[in-house]
Amino acid sequence: MVDLLSKKIRGFRDILPDESQKFLFLEEKIHNICPLFNTKQIRIPALESLNLFKRSIGESSDIVTKEMYSFKDKNDEIVCMIPEGTASSMRLAFENNLIYDRGIKKNRFYYYTPMFRHERPQKGRYRQFTQFGVEFMGDESIHEDIDLLLMSRMFFEEIELDGLKLNINSLGLAEDRNKYSQELQSYFNNYPESFTDQQMNTIKNNPLRILDSKDQQLTEIINGAPNISSYINKESLKKFDDMVQILDDLHIDYVINNKLVRGLDYYNDLVFEWKTDQLGTQDAICAGGRYDNLSTVIGNEAIPAVGFAMGIDRVVELLDYQNTDLVVGLSVISSSKSDMSKISTLLRNTDNKFTLIQMDTGKSLTKQIKSAVKSNCDILVIVGSEEISNNILTIKDLRSDRDDRTISFDDFSKFIEEY
Ligand code: ATP
Ligand code: MG
């Protein structure tokens, strides 16, 4: 082992080429799907003022109570590395006048960016992770909610991820939730000996969070808890029913999960999660909901909105992906020192997508072929003096016993396209 000056920090990880390709694959899909939903990319800064999160996410949320990377910078400003993207997106929309601009009253945005949370590292839970987030702003219609769900579903279909379940619930309005929280508190208080001190604290500050506790010992108590649906106002109930009806009409599978509450304060009405059964307790892949009141906290103006954030690291973990890009080896047999660079440049400029691996010109052709096989090349392009003077390439198929072929250099692009 080398004697390293420093190793990576706990909870942070290196993403190596094979895994990186999966990220790239997902990114490409994201950039292709978002325009189909008229959703435009924004890039939010990695640092924000701490205040932005403290008030908007909720003082008693996991993020604010224990997960934020915040510090004083050199000007004594208290800043925070972004733990989530919704508050930033809302701030961005206000600060750049993107919602009530020139008569256009709504806008749809997405971001793809690292997030930072100081939580206990484990599989599927890192201190830096990437989120793909989508925020539809300015429209309170349930059609927005539906379109957002359709977008997430389309993404999972495109990447062929199976075994995901869409969980939905309605949290109603803040008043409903307050009533329900009190009811929950008194219910949980019937079992004081069942909770740890920390859980008792959660019951005091944010009892809804107990409902999505991963503590197995609480399963029975949680199952017996009052149901949020009995506390929700009529209008919200109607909205939820209408939405469920549309989901049925569209043949979208879902489960209504009354224990789904989400960790952040700003949600109302719809909340949802795409869950997998393959990642143990880190089962949420994508989570979101409606947040009609966040804008009032951030910009003192009412802008209804609905959005989700997807944990790309967890998606990568589930992804069954084989890179199918063509791998081309290049052997140049020539005494001229510049020929390898010249020919590589010509091949690279043909506008095709492939991996080009240069073989070691100093070795015999037999050795070069062996090394091309070892490097997993699909074909080897051989260029000697005869090829150079006739403007041709010799192609050796490394995946079959097929005889070598010569093609004219001008046909290389077509050849790659059709391979
Ligand atoms: P959890 O209950 O797993 O802590 P959360 O409610 O804190 O999730 P959100 O804030 O809703 O998560 O973030 C949306 C998604 O981002 C999650 O569903 C998950 O896929 C991903 N995510 C959240 N925290 C992490 C993390 N520390 N490491 C990797 N992915 C994460
Ligand atoms: Mg969390």
Side-chain angles (χ1 to χ4, degrees), residues 53-82:
F53 301 111
K54 258 191 140 161
R55 294 238 354 257
S56 61
I57 297 176
E59 299 272 1
S60 64
S61 65
D62 284 353
I63 294 181
V64 171
T65 49
K66 46 183 199 252
E67 297 172 359
M68 285 195 295
Y69 275 95
S70 59
F71 53 92
K72 249 191 210 166
D73 74 1
K74 289 190 170 138
N75 304 326
D76 282 346
E77 200 168 328
I78 304 178
V79 294
C80 179
M81 300 186 69
I82 55 171

mmCIF file of all heavy atoms in Angstrom, residues 53-82:
data_model
loop_
_atom_site.group_PDB
_atom_site.id
_atom_site.type_symbol
_atom_site.label_atom_id
_atom_site.label_comp_id
_atom_site.label_asym_id
_atom_site.label_seq_id
_atom_site.Cartn_x
_atom_site.Cartn_y
_atom_site.Cartn_z
ATOM 1 N N PHE A 53 -32.399 27.169 5.080
ATOM 2 C CA PHE A 53 -32.852 25.821 5.416
ATOM 3 C C PHE A 53 -33.504 25.763 6.788
ATOM 4 O O PHE A 53 -34.474 25.049 6.991
ATOM 5 C CB PHE A 53 -31.684 24.842 5.353
ATOM 6 C CG PHE A 53 -31.054 24.821 3.993
ATOM 7 C CD1 PHE A 53 -29.785 25.321 3.798
ATOM 8 C CD2 PHE A 53 -31.762 24.327 2.906
ATOM 9 C CE1 PHE A 53 -29.219 25.322 2.531
ATOM 10 C CE2 PHE A 53 -31.206 24.322 1.636
ATOM 11 C CZ PHE A 53 -29.919 24.831 1.451
ATOM 12 N N LYS A 54 -32.938 26.516 7.716
ATOM 13 C CA LYS A 54 -33.427 26.439 9.090
ATOM 14 C C LYS A 54 -34.917 26.679 9.173
ATOM 15 O O LYS A 54 -35.658 25.915 9.781
ATOM 16 C CB LYS A 54 -32.702 27.469 9.955
ATOM 17 C CG LYS A 54 -31.623 26.844 10.809
ATOM 18 C CD LYS A 54 -31.161 27.835 11.806
ATOM 19 C CE LYS A 54 -30.932 27.192 13.149
ATOM 20 N NZ LYS A 54 -30.090 28.020 13.996
ATOM 21 N N ARG A 55 -35.362 27.743 8.520
ATOM 22 C CA ARG A 55 -36.786 28.072 8.616
ATOM 23 C C ARG A 55 -37.643 27.240 7.692
ATOM 24 O O ARG A 55 -38.750 26.862 8.026
ATOM 25 C CB ARG A 55 -36.992 29.571 8.339
ATOM 26 C CG ARG A 55 -36.371 30.435 9.396
ATOM 27 C CD ARG A 55 -37.339 31.380 10.113
ATOM 28 N NE ARG A 55 -38.693 31.458 9.646
ATOM 29 C CZ ARG A 55 -39.181 32.454 8.919
ATOM 30 N NH1 ARG A 55 -38.419 33.438 8.542
ATOM 31 N NH2 ARG A 55 -40.447 32.458 8.581
ATOM 32 N N SER A 56 -37.136 26.939 6.500
ATOM 33 C CA SER A 56 -38.021 26.311 5.516
ATOM 34 C C SER A 56 -38.208 24.812 5.751
ATOM 35 O O SER A 56 -39.307 24.296 5.656
ATOM 36 C CB SER A 56 -37.483 26.554 4.115
ATOM 37 O OG SER A 56 -36.201 25.993 3.983
ATOM 38 N N ILE A 57 -37.143 24.119 6.065
ATOM 39 C CA ILE A 57 -37.243 22.662 6.207
ATOM 40 C C ILE A 57 -37.939 22.282 7.500
ATOM 41 O O ILE A 57 -38.622 21.262 7.580
ATOM 42 C CB ILE A 57 -35.837 22.014 6.163
ATOM 43 C CG1 ILE A 57 -35.179 22.273 4.810
ATOM 44 C CG2 ILE A 57 -35.920 20.525 6.418
ATOM 45 C CD1 ILE A 57 -33.771 21.749 4.712
ATOM 46 N N GLY A 58 -37.791 23.115 8.510
ATOM 47 C CA GLY A 58 -38.437 22.841 9.800
ATOM 48 C C GLY A 58 -37.395 22.588 10.872
ATOM 49 O O GLY A 58 -36.515 21.752 10.699
ATOM 50 N N GLU A 59 -37.523 23.319 11.983
ATOM 51 C CA GLU A 59 -36.516 23.268 13.054
ATOM 52 C C GLU A 59 -36.367 21.875 13.639
ATOM 53 O O GLU A 59 -35.320 21.525 14.163
ATOM 54 C CB GLU A 59 -36.896 24.250 14.176
ATOM 55 C CG GLU A 59 -36.977 25.706 13.736
ATOM 56 C CD GLU A 59 -35.648 26.445 13.829
ATOM 57 O OE1 GLU A 59 -34.655 25.828 14.219
ATOM 58 O OE2 GLU A 59 -35.632 27.653 13.496
ATOM 59 N N SER A 60 -37.436 21.058 13.559
ATOM 60 C CA SER A 60 -37.346 19.762 14.222
ATOM 61 C C SER A 60 -37.060 18.622 13.238
ATOM 62 O O SER A 60 -37.055 17.464 13.611
ATOM 63 C CB SER A 60 -38.637 19.469 14.984
ATOM 64 O OG SER A 60 -39.699 19.374 14.061
ATOM 65 N N SER A 61 -36.816 18.956 11.981
ATOM 66 C CA SER A 61 -36.530 17.897 11.003
ATOM 67 C C SER A 61 -35.154 17.291 11.268
ATOM 68 O O SER A 61 -34.296 17.919 11.880
ATOM 69 C CB SER A 61 -36.571 18.473 9.593
ATOM 70 O OG SER A 61 -35.533 19.415 9.452
ATOM 71 N N ASP A 62 -34.942 16.053 10.782
ATOM 72 C CA ASP A 62 -33.633 15.402 10.936
ATOM 73 C C ASP A 62 -32.527 16.280 10.368
ATOM 74 O O ASP A 62 -31.463 16.430 10.965
ATOM 75 C CB ASP A 62 -33.608 14.067 10.165
ATOM 76 C CG ASP A 62 -34.369 12.993 10.906
ATOM 77 O OD1 ASP A 62 -34.788 13.256 12.052
ATOM 78 O OD2 ASP A 62 -34.547 11.891 10.337
ATOM 79 N N ILE A 63 -32.809 16.843 9.192
ATOM 80 C CA ILE A 63 -31.761 17.626 8.525
ATOM 81 C C ILE A 63 -31.311 18.777 9.406
ATOM 82 O O ILE A 63 -30.120 18.955 9.671
ATOM 83 C CB ILE A 63 -32.259 18.166 7.159
ATOM 84 C CG1 ILE A 63 -32.511 17.004 6.198
ATOM 85 C CG2 ILE A 63 -31.268 19.143 6.555
ATOM 86 C CD1 ILE A 63 -32.987 17.427 4.813
ATOM 87 N N VAL A 64 -32.273 19.557 9.898
ATOM 88 C CA VAL A 64 -31.896 20.752 10.654
ATOM 89 C C VAL A 64 -31.341 20.392 12.036
ATOM 90 O O VAL A 64 -30.363 20.994 12.492
ATOM 91 C CB VAL A 64 -33.082 21.731 10.762
ATOM 92 C CG1 VAL A 64 -32.768 22.867 11.720
ATOM 93 C CG2 VAL A 64 -33.417 22.282 9.380
ATOM 94 N N THR A 65 -31.911 19.389 12.672
ATOM 95 C CA THR A 65 -31.427 19.097 14.025
ATOM 96 C C THR A 65 -30.040 18.467 14.024
ATOM 97 O O THR A 65 -29.256 18.728 14.921
ATOM 98 C CB THR A 65 -32.374 18.169 14.814
ATOM 99 O OG1 THR A 65 -32.690 17.043 13.997
ATOM 100 C CG2 THR A 65 -33.652 18.869 15.203
ATOM 101 N N LYS A 66 -29.729 17.636 13.030
ATOM 102 C CA LYS A 66 -28.429 16.980 13.156
ATOM 103 C C LYS A 66 -27.615 16.776 11.888
ATOM 104 O O LYS A 66 -26.482 16.328 11.964
ATOM 105 C CB LYS A 66 -28.603 15.627 13.868
ATOM 106 C CG LYS A 66 -29.748 14.783 13.358
ATOM 107 C CD LYS A 66 -29.884 13.501 14.180
ATOM 108 C CE LYS A 66 -30.692 12.485 13.413
ATOM 109 N NZ LYS A 66 -32.016 12.239 13.888
ATOM 110 N N GLU A 67 -28.148 17.108 10.722
ATOM 111 C CA GLU A 67 -27.428 16.670 9.524
ATOM 112 C C GLU A 67 -26.732 17.769 8.724
ATOM 113 O O GLU A 67 -26.100 17.483 7.721
ATOM 114 C CB GLU A 67 -28.393 15.899 8.601
ATOM 115 C CG GLU A 67 -28.937 14.626 9.236
ATOM 116 C CD GLU A 67 -30.040 13.959 8.424
ATOM 117 O OE1 GLU A 67 -30.420 14.495 7.354
ATOM 118 O OE2 GLU A 67 -30.527 12.903 8.861
ATOM 119 N N MET A 68 -26.829 19.013 9.150
ATOM 120 C CA MET A 68 -26.319 20.063 8.275
ATOM 121 C C MET A 68 -24.816 20.291 8.404
ATOM 122 O O MET A 68 -24.274 20.326 9.498
ATOM 123 C CB MET A 68 -27.070 21.364 8.522
ATOM 124 C CG MET A 68 -28.453 21.313 7.912
ATOM 125 S SD MET A 68 -29.236 22.905 7.769
ATOM 126 C CE MET A 68 -29.410 23.343 9.462
ATOM 127 N N TYR A 69 -24.186 20.444 7.264
ATOM 128 C CA TYR A 69 -22.795 20.883 7.231
ATOM 129 C C TYR A 69 -22.812 22.399 7.185
ATOM 130 O O TYR A 69 -22.862 22.995 6.118
ATOM 131 C CB TYR A 69 -22.094 20.369 5.968
ATOM 132 C CG TYR A 69 -21.543 18.972 6.105
ATOM 133 C CD1 TYR A 69 -22.271 17.864 5.682
ATOM 134 C CD2 TYR A 69 -20.276 18.769 6.651
ATOM 135 C CE1 TYR A 69 -21.758 16.591 5.814
ATOM 136 C CE2 TYR A 69 -19.754 17.485 6.776
ATOM 137 C CZ TYR A 69 -20.498 16.404 6.359
ATOM 138 O OH TYR A 69 -19.982 15.150 6.481
ATOM 139 N N SER A 70 -22.805 23.020 8.351
ATOM 140 C CA SER A 70 -22.825 24.477 8.325
ATOM 141 C C SER A 70 -21.626 25.007 9.099
ATOM 142 O O SER A 70 -21.118 24.351 10.001
ATOM 143 C CB SER A 70 -24.128 25.012 8.914
ATOM 144 O OG SER A 70 -24.264 24.567 10.228
ATOM 145 N N PHE A 71 -21.181 26.165 8.702
ATOM 146 C CA PHE A 71 -20.005 26.757 9.343
ATOM 147 C C PHE A 71 -19.957 28.255 9.051
ATOM 148 O O PHE A 71 -20.645 28.744 8.151
ATOM 149 C CB PHE A 71 -18.727 26.088 8.857
ATOM 150 C CG PHE A 71 -18.593 26.047 7.348
ATOM 151 C CD1 PHE A 71 -17.938 27.059 6.663
ATOM 152 C CD2 PHE A 71 -19.140 24.997 6.613
ATOM 153 C CE1 PHE A 71 -17.821 27.022 5.271
ATOM 154 C CE2 PHE A 71 -19.035 24.958 5.222
ATOM 155 C CZ PHE A 71 -18.368 25.968 4.562
ATOM 156 N N LYS A 72 -19.131 28.918 9.836
ATOM 157 C CA LYS A 72 -18.907 30.343 9.601
ATOM 158 C C LYS A 72 -17.810 30.476 8.561
ATOM 159 O O LYS A 72 -16.753 29.840 8.699
ATOM 160 C CB LYS A 72 -18.407 30.976 10.899
ATOM 161 C CG LYS A 72 -19.405 31.897 11.525
ATOM 162 C CD LYS A 72 -18.733 32.664 12.637
ATOM 163 C CE LYS A 72 -19.765 32.998 13.702
ATOM 164 N NZ LYS A 72 -19.162 33.441 14.942
ATOM 165 N N ASP A 73 -18.013 31.280 7.539
ATOM 166 C CA ASP A 73 -16.923 31.464 6.575
ATOM 167 C C ASP A 73 -16.018 32.606 7.045
ATOM 168 O O ASP A 73 -16.182 33.114 8.160
ATOM 169 C CB ASP A 73 -17.470 31.675 5.156
ATOM 170 C CG ASP A 73 -18.079 33.049 4.950
ATOM 171 O OD1 ASP A 73 -18.062 33.858 5.908
ATOM 172 O OD2 ASP A 73 -18.564 33.310 3.844
ATOM 173 N N LYS A 74 -15.085 33.011 6.201
ATOM 174 C CA LYS A 74 -14.081 33.971 6.653
ATOM 175 C C LYS A 74 -14.652 35.353 6.919
ATOM 176 O O LYS A 74 -14.006 36.188 7.550
ATOM 177 C CB LYS A 74 -12.933 34.039 5.653
ATOM 178 C CG LYS A 74 -12.123 32.756 5.714
ATOM 179 C CD LYS A 74 -10.845 32.824 4.941
ATOM 180 C CE LYS A 74 -10.007 31.601 5.255
ATOM 181 N NZ LYS A 74 -9.373 31.021 4.091
ATOM 182 N N ASN A 75 -15.860 35.614 6.411
ATOM 183 C CA ASN A 75 -16.496 36.896 6.720
ATOM 184 C C ASN A 75 -17.503 36.766 7.840
ATOM 185 O O ASN A 75 -18.398 37.593 7.989
ATOM 186 C CB ASN A 75 -17.246 37.427 5.492
ATOM 187 C CG ASN A 75 -16.342 37.544 4.302
ATOM 188 O OD1 ASN A 75 -15.159 37.840 4.443
ATOM 189 N ND2 ASN A 75 -16.887 37.288 3.127
ATOM 190 N N ASP A 76 -17.418 35.646 8.570
ATOM 191 C CA ASP A 76 -18.361 35.386 9.664
ATOM 192 C C ASP A 76 -19.791 35.207 9.207
ATOM 193 O O ASP A 76 -20.738 35.396 9.972
ATOM 194 C CB ASP A 76 -18.314 36.507 10.721
ATOM 195 C CG ASP A 76 -17.096 36.338 11.608
ATOM 196 O OD1 ASP A 76 -16.489 35.242 11.566
ATOM 197 O OD2 ASP A 76 -16.746 37.296 12.305
ATOM 198 N N GLU A 77 -19.961 34.869 7.958
ATOM 199 C CA GLU A 77 -21.309 34.580 7.474
ATOM 200 C C GLU A 77 -21.580 33.100 7.758
ATOM 201 O O GLU A 77 -20.701 32.257 7.549
ATOM 202 C CB GLU A 77 -21.355 34.835 5.970
ATOM 203 C CG GLU A 77 -22.752 35.024 5.463
ATOM 204 C CD GLU A 77 -22.749 35.570 4.025
ATOM 205 O OE1 GLU A 77 -21.817 36.328 3.677
ATOM 206 O OE2 GLU A 77 -23.657 35.223 3.286
ATOM 207 N N ILE A 78 -22.788 32.789 8.251
ATOM 208 C CA ILE A 78 -23.068 31.381 8.537
ATOM 209 C C ILE A 78 -23.682 30.736 7.304
ATOM 210 O O ILE A 78 -24.770 31.088 6.864
ATOM 211 C CB ILE A 78 -23.991 31.215 9.754
ATOM 212 C CG1 ILE A 78 -23.333 31.926 10.940
ATOM 213 C CG2 ILE A 78 -24.185 29.737 10.077
ATOM 214 C CD1 ILE A 78 -24.160 31.888 12.191
ATOM 215 N N VAL A 79 -22.927 29.810 6.737
ATOM 216 C CA VAL A 79 -23.334 29.194 5.482
ATOM 217 C C VAL A 79 -23.562 27.697 5.698
ATOM 218 O O VAL A 79 -23.205 27.143 6.743
ATOM 219 C CB VAL A 79 -22.265 29.406 4.386
ATOM 220 C CG1 VAL A 79 -22.136 30.870 4.035
ATOM 221 C CG2 VAL A 79 -20.927 28.829 4.823
ATOM 222 N N CYS A 80 -24.162 27.067 4.716
ATOM 223 C CA CYS A 80 -24.501 25.656 4.840
ATOM 224 C C CYS A 80 -24.333 24.987 3.475
ATOM 225 O O CYS A 80 -24.726 25.549 2.457
ATOM 226 C CB CYS A 80 -25.952 25.566 5.314
ATOM 227 S SG CYS A 80 -26.545 23.903 5.498
ATOM 228 N N MET A 81 -23.720 23.816 3.477
ATOM 229 C CA MET A 81 -23.645 23.065 2.224
ATOM 230 C C MET A 81 -25.027 22.481 1.987
ATOM 231 O O MET A 81 -25.642 21.941 2.917
ATOM 232 C CB MET A 81 -22.601 21.965 2.336
ATOM 233 C CG MET A 81 -21.254 22.582 2.633
ATOM 234 S SD MET A 81 -19.906 21.415 2.626
ATOM 235 C CE MET A 81 -19.820 20.998 0.899
ATOM 236 N N ILE A 82 -25.549 22.604 0.797
ATOM 237 C CA ILE A 82 -26.970 22.275 0.580
ATOM 238 C C ILE A 82 -27.299 20.824 0.941
ATOM 239 O O ILE A 82 -26.665 19.895 0.450
ATOM 240 C CB ILE A 82 -27.446 22.600 -0.856
ATOM 241 C CG1 ILE A 82 -26.575 21.917 -1.902
ATOM 242 C CG2 ILE A 82 -27.482 24.098 -1.092
ATOM 243 C CD1 ILE A 82 -27.137 22.022 -3.316
#
